[in-house]
Amino acid sequence: HGLPAIAFSADFNHFEPADKEFDKVMEFILSNELISHKYLLNVNFISRNYETSKGILITDLGFRIEDNYYIKTENGSFQNRRRIGKGKPQSGTDLFAEAFGYISITPLKFANQTPEGLKELKDKVNQIE
């Protein structure tokens, strides 16, 4: 609807780091004027593998390789299951930031990343690829 918005995510039952670093993230967003009506900011706090972040990265949207399969239940219906592929995440993505202990900020547009938004955010914080 053209309204500025931010989505925040943290691992389930691992909210303490997000609580500790929320003010730092908001200061980063506001001081660098990252909020826009052109995209939604998606902020991912550190995974449960870390207690404190190594910093904040502007990131692209990463994709995991998934293997979907179905199992037949006792009543004859089928349930969808999936396995997440292993492997090193691509540098510069939110998955890379998560794997290495960084908070990620990703510009999203219509449920996907926006290259223009990614460049705009990186330019605003002077982040080099």
Side-chain angles (χ1 to χ4, degrees), residues 71-81:
I71 60 168
K72 190 172 185 177
T73 64
E74 289 179 11
N75 68 6
S77 66
F78 290 88
Q79 291 181 347
N80 183 25
R81 298 280 195 242

Side-chain angles (χ1 to χ4, degrees), residues 89-101:
Q90 184 177 358
S91 178
T93 65
D94 55 349
L95 297 176
F96 180 89
E98 174 191 5
F100 291 95

Side-chain angles (χ1 to χ4, degrees), residues 17-121:
D19 189 43
K20 279 193 313 192
E21 300 197 74
F22 182 82
D23 290 343
K24 175 176 85 171
V25 170
M26 283 306 300
E27 173 62 28
F28 182 87
I29 290 169
L30 295 173
S31 67
N32 288 290
E33 300 178 0
L34 302 184
I35 298 174
S36 174
H37 67 281
K38 298 180 208 169
Y39 45 77
L40 162 79
L41 289 181
N42 183 51
V43 176
N44 291 314
F45 288 95
I46 56 173
S47 72
R48 67 180 67 256
N49 299 327
Y50 299 91
E51 290 300 319
T52 304
S53 77
K54 295 178 182 177
I56 300 170
L57 295 177
I58 303 299
T59 58
D60 200 353
L61 187 61
F63 294 95
R64 290 182 173 98
I65 297 171
E66 295 181 5
D67 177 27
N68 289 293
Y69 63 98
Y70 296 88
I71 60 168
K72 190 172 185 177
T73 64
E74 289 179 11
N75 68 6
S77 66
F78 290 88
Q79 291 181 347
N80 183 25
R81 298 280 195 242
R82 69 180 179 162
R83 284 184 282 263
I84 305 295
K86 301 287 183 191
K88 184 179 176 189
Q90 184 177 358
S91 178
T93 65
D94 55 349
L95 297 176
F96 180 89
E98 174 191 5
F100 291 95
Y102 291 91
I103 295 167
S104 67
I105 300 177
T106 308
L108 302 179
K109 186 172 186 175
F110 301 116
N112 208 339
Q113 78 274 22
T114 165
E116 297 84 12
L118 181 62
K119 181 180 178 342
E120 182 178 318
L121 264 60

